Short mmCIF file of all heavy atoms in Angstrom, two decimals:
data_model
loop_
_atom_site.label_atom_id
_atom_site.label_comp_id
_atom_site.label_asym_id
_atom_site.label_seq_id
_atom_site.Cartn_x
_atom_site.Cartn_y
_atom_site.Cartn_z
N ASP P 23 -4.35 -29.95 13.48
CA ASP P 23 -5.26 -29.13 14.29
C ASP P 23 -5.23 -27.69 13.80
O ASP P 23 -4.19 -27.19 13.36
CB ASP P 23 -4.85 -29.18 15.77
CG ASP P 23 -5.08 -30.55 16.40
OD1 ASP P 23 -5.98 -31.28 15.92
OD2 ASP P 23 -4.36 -30.87 17.36
N ILE P 31 1.94 -12.78 9.60
CA ILE P 31 1.45 -11.40 9.63
C ILE P 31 2.60 -10.51 9.18
O ILE P 31 3.67 -10.51 9.78
CB ILE P 31 0.97 -11.00 11.04
CG1 ILE P 31 -0.16 -11.93 11.49
CG2 ILE P 31 0.51 -9.54 11.06
CD1 ILE P 31 -0.58 -11.74 12.92
N PRO P 35 0.81 -3.88 1.72
CA PRO P 35 1.48 -3.16 0.64
C PRO P 35 1.45 -1.64 0.84
O PRO P 35 2.43 -0.95 0.57
CB PRO P 35 0.71 -3.57 -0.62
CG PRO P 35 0.15 -4.91 -0.28
CD PRO P 35 -0.17 -4.84 1.20
N VAL P 39 4.73 0.85 0.87
CA VAL P 39 4.86 2.03 0.00
C VAL P 39 4.98 3.29 0.85
O VAL P 39 5.76 4.19 0.54
CB VAL P 39 3.68 2.11 -0.98
CG1 VAL P 39 3.68 3.42 -1.75
CG2 VAL P 39 3.72 0.93 -1.94
N GLN P 42 8.49 3.78 1.89
CA GLN P 42 9.32 4.21 0.76
C GLN P 42 9.10 5.69 0.46
O GLN P 42 10.06 6.42 0.15
CB GLN P 42 9.01 3.36 -0.47
CG GLN P 42 9.43 1.91 -0.30
CD GLN P 42 8.91 1.01 -1.41
OE1 GLN P 42 7.91 1.31 -2.05
NE2 GLN P 42 9.59 -0.09 -1.64
N GLN P 48 12.36 12.37 3.13
CA GLN P 48 13.54 12.71 3.93
C GLN P 48 14.74 13.03 3.06
O GLN P 48 15.55 13.89 3.41
CB GLN P 48 13.87 11.58 4.90
CG GLN P 48 12.86 11.41 6.00
CD GLN P 48 13.12 10.19 6.87
OE1 GLN P 48 13.98 9.37 6.57
NE2 GLN P 48 12.37 10.07 7.95
N GLU P 51 13.67 13.96 -2.46
CA GLU P 51 13.54 13.53 -3.85
C GLU P 51 12.13 13.71 -4.38
O GLU P 51 11.15 13.59 -3.63
CB GLU P 51 13.91 12.05 -3.96
CG GLU P 51 15.32 11.74 -3.57
CD GLU P 51 15.62 10.25 -3.55
OE1 GLU P 51 14.68 9.42 -3.56
OE2 GLU P 51 16.81 9.92 -3.53
N VAL P 73 3.93 16.23 -0.54
CA VAL P 73 3.53 17.49 -1.19
C VAL P 73 3.64 18.65 -0.19
O VAL P 73 4.18 19.71 -0.52
CB VAL P 73 2.10 17.39 -1.76
CG1 VAL P 73 1.59 18.75 -2.21
CG2 VAL P 73 2.04 16.39 -2.90
N TYR P 80 4.35 12.95 -8.77
CA TYR P 80 3.77 12.64 -10.07
C TYR P 80 3.15 11.25 -9.96
O TYR P 80 3.66 10.39 -9.24
CB TYR P 80 4.84 12.64 -11.16
CG TYR P 80 5.67 13.89 -11.18
CD1 TYR P 80 6.89 13.95 -10.49
CD2 TYR P 80 5.25 15.01 -11.88
CE1 TYR P 80 7.66 15.11 -10.50
CE2 TYR P 80 6.01 16.17 -11.89
CZ TYR P 80 7.22 16.21 -11.20
OH TYR P 80 7.96 17.35 -11.21
N ILE P 101 -0.89 16.86 -6.49
CA ILE P 101 -0.21 15.75 -7.18
C ILE P 101 -0.47 15.88 -8.67
O ILE P 101 -1.62 16.10 -9.09
CB ILE P 101 -0.69 14.39 -6.63
CG1 ILE P 101 -0.27 14.29 -5.17
CG2 ILE P 101 -0.16 13.24 -7.47
CD1 ILE P 101 -0.85 13.13 -4.42
#
Side-chain angles (χ1 to χ4, degrees):
D23 291 333
I31 300 173
V39 172
Q42 294 170 335
Q48 291 174 352
E51 298 174 345
V73 170
Y80 308 94
I101 295 170

